[in-house]
Amino acid sequence: MSTENNLQSLFDNSIKILTDLIAFKTISGEDNSSLIDYCDNILKPLGAESFRTYDDEKKRVNLFSSFKAKSSNGKKPIILSGHTDVVPVSKGWSADPFVATIKNDKLYGRGSCDMKGFIACVLAYAPILSNSNLDRDIHFSFTFDEETACLGAPILINELKKKGINKGICIIGEPTNMKIIDAHKGCYEYTTYFEGLAGHSSQPHKGVSAVEYAAKYVNKLIELRQKLKDREPKDSIFDPPYSTLQIGGIFGGIAHNVIADKCHINWETRPVVKEDGIFLNSEIDKYANEILLPEMKKIFPNSSINKKIIGEVIGFDREKDSKACEFVSNITGDNSREVVSFGTEAGLFQEIGISTVVCGPGSIQQAHKIDEFIELNEIKKCLKFLEGVKDKSIN
Ligand SMILES: [Zn+2]
């Protein structure tokens, strides 16, 4: 078969797999096990060894699958990583979001670019990898619930640590138009719950207004926001260059004349360095526990303030002389390095010592949107890239 025919059949197979993947409604938080079975059923017959990790209810699954080196010569392993969940769909799609449709050289469907396109390419390319005389291990990492604060990946990565898979290179195929992304901020989300004592508004001294204490807490957060700005690292590569903080919502109270006994605040911060996250949390916790709570308890001992972590997606730091970026640049010939404003699982792999890069087909412009699509040419670019990965992984 000529190379061109080869590429065409690879491409056709990628589209078939992507169509299948889109049909699995793997919205974050929902059961993704059929999709994982589908991936495993492609990789296992090719000789891959795999293991699964789960959430507490065993409803959602991470798959880690490996082609072992046939002749090892000390080359570090490569991890090809993608999340299997997609964001929910809102009204307004031109067609069924879970049925792939091709129009004008674009493939439409939820998850087409974020990021089942990458997974489809990797699975379509797997038979070639399994037939190659690999001189390093090639791993596939498919996680659940990335879109809801990277809930799946930490469970998988914990297992990788235990198994000693903590070196090498990880390529996260989030949609970047195959450009190299080598850093992003963290994204920490919290909900803080206040419980006080209800009462008649004419006797405010006899109740504990959860809404008023929540307001004080919000004020403190806004004060700390300025402190975060003052802490801006002088060599920051981000825009804005400092850690940000935002209050997303305040919910509490039932009427003008009733002291509110319950209130909660949704807020988030995007730290440029881990230390900012630690600083912010310790300051706000100190304020809540040492100032607000004692005041509340003086009137009503059962008052409470509870900060719930919705998710703490750690930042992805620019590495000096990153092996992962160098590896990708060598294949694509593109030496540019960019940062992005969206979060990924990259920081989690980086944290255990794996050199990591974010690079995948499709554009983030189409992610999470109505009529999400991937340009077919991006699929071709990704397959060509995987060819490069293979070439660098054989004797
Ligand atoms: Zn994504």
Side-chain angles (χ1 to χ4, degrees):
M1 233 200 296
S2 78
T3 340
E4 220 160 87
N5 275 339
N6 249 335
L7 193 67
Q8 186 59 42
S9 80
L10 258 179
F11 173 77
D12 292 344
N13 201 25
S14 306
I15 298 300
K16 192 200 157 292
I17 293 172
L18 180 52
T19 302
D20 292 343
L21 292 177
I22 287 172
F24 294 105
K25 291 187 189 175
T26 49
I27 294 167
S28 315
E30 289 178 16
D31 189 332
N32 71 334
S33 55
S34 327
L35 182 148
I36 291 294
D37 288 343
Y38 175 92
C39 298
D40 215 4
N41 288 340
I42 290 178
L43 295 171
K44 257 211 185 115
L46 297 171
E49 290 168 28
S50 66
F51 69 86
R52 298 178 183 212
T53 44
Y54 305 86
D55 71 323
D56 290 343
E57 299 157 37
K58 288 217 152 192
K59 200 171 74 170
R60 291 161 298 166
V61 194
N62 298 309
L63 177 70
F64 195 84
S65 215
S66 311
F67 288 140
K68 294 277 182 212
K70 286 181 184 146
S71 52
S72 180
N73 54 11
K75 272 196 207 167
K76 303 250 172 82
I78 306 276
I79 301 174
L80 301 167
S81 174
H83 62 80
T84 62
D85 60 316
V86 296
V87 293
V89 291
S90 48
K91 285 202 184 107
W93 279 69
S94 313
D96 187 337
F98 298 103
V99 178
T101 42
I102 295 177
K103 225 167 58 184
N104 301 330
D105 292 326
K106 292 171 182 140
L107 186 147
Y108 291 84
R110 173 56 87 221
S112 53
C113 81
D114 188 10
M115 56 180 290
K116 291 177 171 177
F118 177 75
I119 297 177
C121 290
V122 160
L123 290 175
Y125 205 82
I128 297 180
L129 292 173
S130 85
N131 275 329
S132 302
N133 192 27
L134 295 179
D135 61 359
R136 64 163 115 222
D137 295 351
I138 300 221
H139 305 290
F140 305 86
S141 159
F142 301 138
T143 56
F144 66 85
D145 284 11
E146 187 269 349
E147 300 289 3
T148 43
C150 295
L151 301 180
I155 301 167
L156 166 67
I157 287 168
N158 207 17
E159 201 57 35
L160 293 185
K161 228 165 39 183
K162 278 193 219 155
K163 292 183 189 290
I165 305 174
N166 54 0
K167 33 188 175 302
I169 287 170
C170 177
I171 299 162
I172 303 204
E174 292 276 3
T176 68
N177 292 108
M178 300 307 294
K179 291 253 171 217
I180 292 175
I181 302 300
D182 70 344
H184 62 66
K185 291 184 185 181
C187 179
Y188 299 2
E189 293 183 344
Y190 305 94
T191 297
T192 308
Y193 295 89
F194 295 80
E195 273 198 52
L197 180 63
H200 196 281
S201 59
S202 61
Q203 304 270 297
H205 56 287
K206 288 188 181 160
V208 178
S209 169
V211 166
E212 289 180 17
Y213 280 98
K216 289 185 189 186
Y217 187 91
V218 166
N219 270 338
K220 184 71 182 178
L221 284 175
I222 291 171
E223 215 176 274
L224 288 167
R225 173 158 71 191
Q226 185 55 46
K227 293 225 167 105
L228 290 175
K229 241 176 167 171
D230 299 341
R231 288 165 63 94
E232 172 187 327
K234 66 172 183 305
D235 51 354
S236 178
I237 51 176
F238 296 106
D239 173 30
Y242 45 83
S243 300
T244 55
L245 185 151
Q246 200 268 142
I247 313 294
I250 306 179
F251 309 88
I254 52 167
H256 286 76
N257 59 355
V258 177
I259 297 169
D261 61 341
K262 285 192 176 68
C263 186
H264 70 269
I265 305 162
N266 294 341
W267 59 282
E268 62 125 59
T269 181
R270 300 196 172 222
V272 286
V273 289
K274 235 174 276 164
E275 292 70 26
D276 279 359
I278 296 166
F279 161 79
L280 177 65
N281 271 290
S282 89
E283 289 293 308
I284 195 66
D285 291 350
K286 209 165 79 184
Y287 180 69
N289 295 326
E290 292 175 14
I291 309 287
L292 297 184
L293 202 54
E295 273 179 32
M296 294 166 81
K297 284 188 179 237
K298 234 188 264 167
I299 300 164
F300 180 56
N302 285 339
S303 299
S304 63
I305 303 175
N306 283 313
K307 187 184 75 186
K308 188 179 161 209
I309 300 170
I310 304 301
E312 290 179 334
V313 179
I314 63 163
F316 172 34
D317 300 330
R318 179 163 281 175
E319 277 167 59
K320 229 177 139 236
D321 306 318
S322 159
K323 288 268 172 295
C325 293
E326 211 176 284
F327 180 82
V328 174
S329 282
N330 273 330
I331 294 172
T332 61
D334 184 346
N335 289 307
S336 64
R337 306 282 186 268
E338 289 169 31
V339 301
V340 287
S341 53
F342 58 91
T344 72
E345 295 169 342
L348 294 164
F349 284 97
Q350 188 176 51
E351 203 177 32
I352 63 163
I354 299 173
S355 182
T356 303
V357 58
V358 180
C359 176
S363 163
I364 197 70
Q365 297 303 326
Q366 276 87 49
H368 301 199
K369 300 247 170 82
I370 289 172
D371 292 337
E372 175 179 345
F373 67 82
I374 186 164
E375 287 183 16
L376 298 182
N377 194 40
E378 289 288 312
I379 301 276
K380 288 181 187 155
K381 268 160 67 184
C382 185
L383 291 170
K384 215 173 254 170
F385 170 74
L386 291 170
E387 176 103 66
V389 172
K390 180 208 71 186
D391 289 346
K392 288 190 165 298
S393 308
I394 50 176
N395 281 315

